[in-house]
């Protein structure tokens, strides 16, 4: 195990990037609020149903944010929990099963742990059964101080739909709980209403369903619209309770909501055939980073660097002024001038600034056509190495033997 770890360490350290000096520490000491947006895909941004925006709030938030439009989810079978794993650890989830179940006893150097060591109170907030995805155990390994699950919320009549508590009351009660927390805090809030099968009560429908013979796709837009409304109210609560100014807020889509089984209706919606190339592009999820007093003062912008969920941990640590130069992680700070336009998906597909590799085919991005596979070769090796090394860390519980000293 020792020699394996040494190889991995050499690889990781050789790929470290320098933070942007202007942004390093820009949010030092602030609260960190992360929202995992259930099944939120990038294509909904700026899309419309019968002339109405599907995400009016998120669309308007772009001007107040760093908004990343080439940001990919990297999840596997562990879905929401895999996204959490990526964000906490900057490691890949596993190729099969859910790491939250299979390796909840490992040692991790999570974002929650690092922030806890730096004076933060850390809490995960999700109004579902606490043992779903084994979160009750995994959150202990990730070193959260507290997990607010369904038993911590007052769920009144009419406040549940589908899988559980509706997002609007969830955000309202979560904000009240956050107001009582010691600061600085790191909270992670996980939404639920935009979950398959995308059921809503009539009073929560702000837009029409899409019209096709696929009810799942039709309803998806209405639940996305509901979560968008919930986010709008959340930002209003944060401002009202005085929690906005002294925080940084990160919103990310956890994974796709519409699988490839729905390609026919998706083709109808997008007005184009869903090719394997297109399928990869549909794995983009929205990422918003709001730094009040900075991004909402005319300094927000759209960032089109190719990046993924694995990059969030180092990006946030740098903004909070916490170095990660000795950490074992596979992502890099998206704001770094050295950040490479390269993201590896869990199934081995990858995306660069010019190429997409999927199903053993190499595609050129600007033409969307297959090109000589040799063009993808230089990246194939490093995609494989990253996934293998990350897997070895998890399977061998190798962070037990690694003591970073930041
Ligand atoms: C359940 C929620 C949804 O707690 O995270 O899970 P998913 O099926 O999207 O992984
Ligand atoms: Mn999910």
């Amino acid at each position: 195990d020792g020699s394996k770890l040494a190889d991995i360490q050499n690889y990781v350290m050789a790929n470290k990037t320098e933070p942007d000096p202007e942004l390093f520490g820009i949010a030092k000491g602030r609260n960190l609020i992360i929202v995992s947006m259930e099944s939120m895909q990038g294509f909904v941004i700026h899309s419309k149903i019968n002339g109405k925006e599907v995400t009016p709030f998120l669309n308007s938030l772009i001007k107040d944010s760093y908004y990343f439009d080439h940001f990919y989810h990297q999840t596997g079978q562990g879905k929401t929990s895999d996204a959490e794993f990526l964000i906490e650890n900057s490691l890949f989830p596993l190729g099969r099963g859910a790491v939250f179940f299979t390796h909840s006893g490992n040692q991790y150097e999570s974002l929650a742990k690092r922030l806890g060591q730096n004076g933060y109170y850390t809490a995960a907030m999700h109004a579902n059964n606490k043992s779903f995805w084994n979160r009750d155990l995994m959150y202990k390994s990730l070193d959260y101080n507290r997990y607010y699950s369904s038993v911590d919320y007052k769920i009144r009549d009419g406040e549940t739909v589908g899988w559980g508590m509706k997002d609007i009351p969830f955000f309202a009660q979560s904000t009240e709980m956050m107001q009582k927390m010691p600061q600085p805090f790191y909270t992670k809030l996980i939404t639920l209403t935009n979950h398959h099968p995308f059921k809503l009560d009539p009073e929560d429908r702000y837009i029409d369903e899409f019209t096709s013979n696929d009810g799942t796709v039709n309803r998806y837009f209405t639940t996305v619209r509901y979560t968008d409304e919930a986010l709008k109210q959340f930002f209003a609560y944060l401002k009202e309770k005085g929690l906005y100014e002294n925080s940084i807020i990160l919103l990310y889509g956890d994974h796709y909501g519409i699988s490839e089984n729905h390609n026919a209706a998706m083709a109808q919606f997008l007005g184009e055939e869903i090719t394997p190339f297109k399928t990869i592009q549909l794995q983009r999820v929205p990422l918003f980073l709001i730094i009040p007093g900075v991004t909402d003062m005319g300094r927000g912008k759209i960032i089109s660097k190719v990046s993924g969920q694995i990059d969030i941990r180092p990006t946030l640590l740098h903004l909070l002024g916490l170095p990660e130069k000795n950490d074992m992680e596979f992502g890099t700070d998206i704001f770094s001038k050295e950040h490479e336009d390269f993201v590896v998906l869990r199934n081995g597909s990858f995306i660069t600034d010019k190429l997409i590799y999927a199903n053993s085919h190499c595609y050129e991005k600007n033409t969307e056509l297959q090109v000589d596979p040799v063009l993808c070769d230089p990246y194939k090796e490093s995609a494989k190495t990253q996934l293998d090394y990350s897997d070895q860390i998890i399977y061998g519980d190798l962070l037990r033997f690694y003591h970073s000293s930041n």
Side-chain angles (χ1 to χ4, degrees):
D1 276 357
S3 69
K4 256 194 221 166
L5 186 59
D7 287 349
I8 299 170
Q9 188 180 349
N10 287 337
Y11 177 86
V12 167
M13 297 311 151
N15 288 295
K16 288 280 172 189
T17 56
E18 277 300 312
D20 179 336
E22 274 177 43
L23 289 176
F24 186 88
I26 197 165
K28 199 173 182 57
R30 289 207 201 184
N31 304 316
L32 169 63
I33 300 168
I34 297 185
V35 179
S36 170
M37 301 185 289
E38 178 57 44
S39 300
M40 189 72 76
Q41 284 180 246
F43 77 89
V44 300
I45 302 296
H46 293 311
S47 69
K48 288 183 177 173
I49 297 283
N50 293 340
K52 286 195 175 167
E53 290 172 284
V54 178
T55 55
F57 174 67
L58 289 177
N59 296 347
S60 73
L61 191 64
I62 291 176
K63 66 172 183 339
D64 292 339
S65 310
Y66 292 124
Y67 169 64
F68 302 79
D69 63 354
H70 283 71
F71 178 77
Y72 290 80
H73 84 80
Q74 296 165 290
T75 64
Q77 292 171 341
K79 310 291 306 254
T80 314
S81 69
D82 278 358
E84 294 182 63
F85 188 82
L86 280 146
I87 275 124
E88 286 294 333
N89 303 307
S90 192
L91 297 171
F92 289 92
L94 297 177
R96 305 180 81 180
V99 62
F100 263 43
F101 274 113
T102 60
H103 295 82
S104 63
N106 275 18
Q107 183 163 324
Y108 294 106
E109 295 301 322
S110 66
L111 185 60
K113 181 171 176 183
R114 178 60 47 82
L115 292 180
Q117 288 163 342
N118 284 277
Y120 277 71
Y121 177 77
T122 59
M125 313 184 86
H126 181 45
N128 195 0
N129 187 303
K130 68 178 167 44
S131 61
F132 199 91
W133 284 129
N134 206 30
R135 285 185 175 106
D136 51 342
L137 293 183
M138 188 59 164
Y139 285 168
K140 292 199 174 101
S141 293
L142 296 177
D143 242 338
Y144 276 97
N145 291 127
R146 180 77 157 83
Y147 176 21
Y148 295 87
S149 69
S150 52
V151 292
D152 297 290
Y153 289 81
K154 282 189 214 61
I155 308 177
R156 290 169 283 248
D157 277 358
E159 287 187 344
T160 65
V161 70
W163 281 47
M165 192 179 191
K166 294 179 181 179
D167 293 345
I168 289 176
F170 164 68
F171 279 126
Q173 289 185 35
S174 298
T175 314
E176 278 169 28
M177 294 170 190
M178 282 159 60
Q179 216 185 0
K180 295 182 191 127
M181 289 178 193
Q183 297 193 31
F185 58 70
Y186 158 36
T187 52
K188 175 176 62 181
L189 292 82
I190 304 171
T191 72
L192 196 55
T193 307
N194 185 39
H195 193 290
H196 187 270
F198 312 119
K199 289 261 156 63
L200 273 186
D201 289 329
E203 67 268 26
D204 298 323
R205 265 179 224 147
Y206 300 93
I207 52 168
D208 297 335
E209 292 186 356
F210 180 56
T211 316
S212 75
N213 61 13
D214 187 330
T216 299
V217 173
N218 296 351
R219 290 189 301 277
Y220 177 66
F221 297 96
T222 61
T223 47
V224 168
R225 177 65 184 82
Y226 174 84
T227 296
D228 182 81
E229 192 68 22
L231 288 164
K232 177 182 168 185
Q233 296 194 19
F234 180 47
F235 274 68
Y237 301 140
L238 290 175
K239 288 177 183 172
E240 207 176 281
K241 308 271 184 204
L243 292 170
Y244 176 77
E245 291 296 328
N246 195 35
S247 299
I248 62 169
I249 304 156
L250 181 119
L251 317 175
Y252 71 89
D254 62 351
H255 50 73
Y256 64 78
I258 303 296
S259 73
E260 289 180 64
N261 299 329
H262 303 280
N263 276 356
M266 279 298 287
Q268 191 187 326
F269 178 76
L270 296 171
E272 54 188 342
E273 193 198 338
I274 312 298
T275 59
F277 175 90
K278 203 79 205 166
T279 296
I280 299 290
Q281 290 300 52
L282 284 170
Q283 305 314 308
R284 281 178 292 183
V285 291
L287 176 65
F288 289 83
L289 173 66
I290 298 95
I291 309 178
V294 179
T295 57
D296 58 352
M297 300 296 280
R299 285 176 63 188
K301 59 179 173 207
I302 298 176
I303 299 178
S304 297
K305 293 186 190 184
V306 175
S307 58
Q309 288 164 334
I310 208 157
D311 297 319
I312 289 182
R313 183 188 188 279
T315 304
L316 287 175
L317 284 175
H318 285 169
L319 293 169
L320 295 169
L322 300 169
E324 49 69 63
K325 61 179 189 298
N326 296 317
D327 290 358
M328 291 285 248
E329 56 189 10
F330 291 88
T332 57
D333 180 344
I334 310 173
F335 293 111
S336 168
K337 302 212 166 26
E338 298 159 5
H339 176 87
E340 197 187 357
D341 281 308
F342 178 54
V343 65
V344 182
L345 306 190
R346 182 56 256 196
N347 66 6
S349 299
F350 57 77
I351 300 98
T352 76
D353 52 343
K354 298 194 175 63
L355 301 166
I356 283 185
Y357 181 77
N359 304 334
S360 315
H361 296 304
C362 190
Y363 298 86
E364 194 176 52
K365 268 171 138 179
N366 55 12
T367 60
E368 304 191 10
L369 295 172
Q370 269 189 51
V371 291
D372 189 343
V374 170
L375 290 172
C376 280
D377 280 353
Y379 300 98
K380 246 196 242 171
E381 194 60 31
S382 80
K384 193 176 172 308
T385 304
Q386 286 190 21
L387 290 168
D388 283 355
Y389 280 171
S390 177
D391 286 352
Q392 284 184 36
I393 289 176
I394 297 167
Y395 287 125
D397 192 7
L398 297 184
L399 297 182
R400 278 179 301 164
F401 310 116
Y402 183 72
H403 300 285
S404 85
S405 50
N406 278 299

